Every structure is written in structure tokens, then in C-alpha cells.
Amino acid sequence: MAAPLDPEMFDELCPSDLSPIRFGDKWAGMVVRCLEDGPRRFSELRVPLRGVTAKVLTRSLRRLEADGLVRRTVLAGRVEYALTPLGRSLLGPMEVACAWAREHWEELLDAREGVATAAD
């Protein structure tokens, strides 16, 4: 079994919210990262994804499963989610997108602030 997920795994100001590059819905990329080191139960995923409701996390997991990126397995009355080989192949491109967002973080923030100011 994999080590417990770090509750601080994702910053509240996570670049995934800021990045124009999306992998599925708002939470999908973070779910994929949570499953990177092995299968997890729903309750384990809720620890670092504390800002997501159970309903929204369920919807995200179902979409990832429908896309063939996540496998849902029922074992002795408990459910686990794991990356499929297709889901695992997404880790590399996600890392590249995250690195790009980190590199351009200030520019992205400035652009968002400029748009928000112009809308006021």
C-alpha cells in the first residue's frame, strides 16, 4: 500500500486553477496526481482535495473512468481507484504543463488581474 497522501499536497492557490491548460475538469489533474503512487480509496482522495465536495469528486472520478484513465475496483466491500496504463501515460504531459505554469506564474497572475480590473 502506498504512503498516505499529504494533506498539503496541493496549495490552495494551485496553479491548476490558473493554468489555461486543462486535463479534464478542474479536479481531474489533481486526482490523477493523487493516484500516481498507487490505488486510493475515495476517503483518501478527499484529504489533499479538501476543497472538493463528495458529489463533484464522484463526478470527476466517473468522467476519468469513462475516459479510460482511471479504473474503479470493488474489493471486499471497499472501492479503490487506480490509474490505468492510459491514465499513467498522462503523467508526463501533465508534468510539462505544470512546469510551464510554474515558469509563467507571474505572467498568468498579471493577465488574470488585468482582466478582473478591466471588468470592474
Side-chain angles (χ1 to χ4, degrees):
M1 181 129 235
L5 292 171
D6 179 359
E8 304 301 320
M9 185 173 174
F10 301 109
D11 188 316
E12 285 185 38
L13 299 174
C14 182
S16 67
D17 251 2
L18 190 61
S19 177
I21 302 167
R22 297 270 182 207
F23 294 93
D25 60 41
K26 174 181 177 176
W27 300 98
M30 288 183 272
V31 169
V32 169
R33 290 308 275 250
C34 287
L35 298 174
E36 184 173 6
D37 293 328
R40 300 288 181 176
R41 294 186 332 269
F42 187 87
S43 60
E44 290 178 280
L45 295 173
R46 297 282 314 267
V47 173
L49 301 174
R50 58 193 171 277
V52 67
T53 65
K55 179 181 178 179
V56 171
L57 180 55
T58 297
R59 184 172 43 226
S60 186
L61 285 163
R62 285 182 181 159
R63 286 180 183 156
L64 288 166
E65 186 179 11
D67 289 340
L69 302 173
V70 168
R71 179 184 65 253
R72 179 181 184 270
T73 306
V74 179
L75 303 165
R78 72 175 204 209
V79 177
E80 286 188 341
Y81 297 91
L83 291 177
T84 63
L86 182 61
R88 192 156 291 289
S89 74
L90 191 56
L91 292 169
M94 282 179 56
E95 183 52 43
V96 170
C98 288
W100 180 88
R102 282 189 298 272
E103 182 178 332
H104 296 283
W105 178 253
E106 293 299 323
E107 294 165 88
L108 291 165
L109 277 175
D110 290 346
R112 291 279 170 94
E113 289 173 3
V115 169
T117 302
D120 291 341

